[in-house]
Amino acid sequence: GESVGLHLPTLSVQEGDNSIINCAYSNSASDYFIWYKQESGKGPQFIIDIRSNMDKRQGQRVTVLLNKTVKHLSLQIAATQPGDSAVYFCAESFGFNKFYFGSGTKLNVKP
Amino acid sequence: EAEVAQSPRYKITEKSQAVAFWCDPISGHATLYWYRQILGQGPELLVQFQDESVVDDSQLPKDRFSAERLKGVDSTLKIQPAELGDSAMYLCASSFGLAGGWTYEQYFGPGTRLTVT
């Protein structure tokens, strides 16, 4: 199967600072990537997605960067808020078929 | 806002017993997924439906797990017999399934937390 992993299992940031969550993927043929946020006791929630023909995509306070050369994906959260505290997963797929999720990074936002 | 419904939210069962989970996707979503999530890990796909047809069940332990989506709407995932290692969160997700469209967002339900004793 595919291997999607995260460099940092836990990330602590100060409220108001920017957060960067990283993800490495193994399948160079993957062409679609999603970031999910999962709060305790809830299912994952879609944050932002990006196709492999792009290297950057912006949403509200979030930016996803894709570096296909090194098979790396990152999620940037601007002005991190306490409500951003959660576990973040990246997921990859090829042809919108099977999605492979990484093991997650826990983001702690300190007030 | 439409949501994916799952029931029950929590289930405790003894090993060797049968257990079933139900999922009602967002109306109009053709694609339905069942995932298993072990604590501290990302979701792992068990089975994917397109309407009433299974398109991927390669990771489904078919000796004990079964899934159906008879009318292409709601779905049931069954485990028989349950084993201790089946303790996990079982997540259902749905999407429009419009391959070729820009986004392929999956909407997840709240999950069913299964504990096998």
Side-chain angles (χ1 to χ4, degrees):
Chain A
E2 311 301 333
S3 174
V4 179
L6 298 174
H7 298 302
L8 299 173
T10 304
L11 177 65
S12 293
V13 299
Q14 204 69 38
E15 180 179 358
D17 288 351
N18 297 334
S19 303
I20 299 176
I21 301 172
N22 297 303
C23 175
Y25 63 94
S26 62
N27 185 3
S28 57
S30 290
D31 56 8
Y32 182 64
F33 305 86
I34 304 178
W35 279 101
Y36 284 94
K37 171 187 180 183
Q38 187 173 25
E39 297 174 280
S40 181
K42 297 182 179 180
Q45 178 186 8
F46 174 94
I47 300 173
I48 192 168
D49 57 358
I50 189 168
R51 287 194 175 191
S52 59
N53 61 354
M54 302 178 71
D55 54 19
K56 181 179 180 179
R57 190 158 188 244
Q58 289 184 295
Q60 185 177 9
R61 284 201 306 118
V62 294
T63 300
V64 55
L65 299 177
L66 175 62
N67 186 331
K68 295 181 288 296
T69 302
V70 294
K71 293 183 288 186
H72 184 268
L73 196 68
S74 69
L75 176 69
Q76 299 178 359
I77 304 174
T80 312
Q81 303 170 358
D84 295 327
S85 293
V87 177
Y88 290 80
F89 295 97
C90 66
E92 63 173 314
S93 76
F94 171 69
F96 300 99
N97 289 318
K98 196 169 183 176
F99 285 83
Y100 295 90
F101 284 76
S103 56
T105 291
K106 184 176 182 179
L107 177 64
N108 291 322
V109 181
K110 297 176 287 186
Chain B
E1 182 176 302
E3 296 180 339
V4 175
Q6 287 188 251
S7 67
R9 291 294 310 277
Y10 304 92
K11 180 69 177 179
I12 300 174
T13 190
E14 295 182 346
K15 62 181 181 180
S16 79
Q17 296 299 303
V19 64
F21 314 127
W22 177 79
C23 172
D24 190 13
I26 293 173
S27 178
H29 281 194
T31 307
L32 185 147
Y33 310 81
W34 282 102
Y35 288 88
R36 175 171 57 188
Q37 185 176 26
I38 295 170
L39 191 63
Q41 298 183 16
E44 175 191 17
L45 181 69
L46 293 174
V47 61
Q48 177 179 343
F49 289 92
Q50 182 68 28
D51 298 311
E52 66 276 8
S53 300
V54 173
V55 297
D56 189 329
D57 63 355
S58 58
Q59 300 300 310
L60 188 71
K62 298 180 187 63
D63 57 333
R64 298 185 299 108
F65 286 64
S66 64
E68 60 182 17
R69 193 185 185 198
L70 294 177
K71 296 182 179 180
V73 182
D74 58 338
S75 176
T76 302
L77 178 69
K78 298 179 181 177
I79 307 175
Q80 183 174 14
E83 296 181 353
L84 295 177
D86 295 332
S87 295
M89 175 77 83
Y90 290 82
L91 293 163
C92 178
S94 69
S95 71
F96 282 110
L98 294 175
W102 211 102
T103 186
Y104 210 71
E105 179 178 351
Q106 296 178 42
Y107 296 81
F108 283 83
T112 296
R113 170 71 66 188
L114 174 67
T115 301
V116 182
T117 62

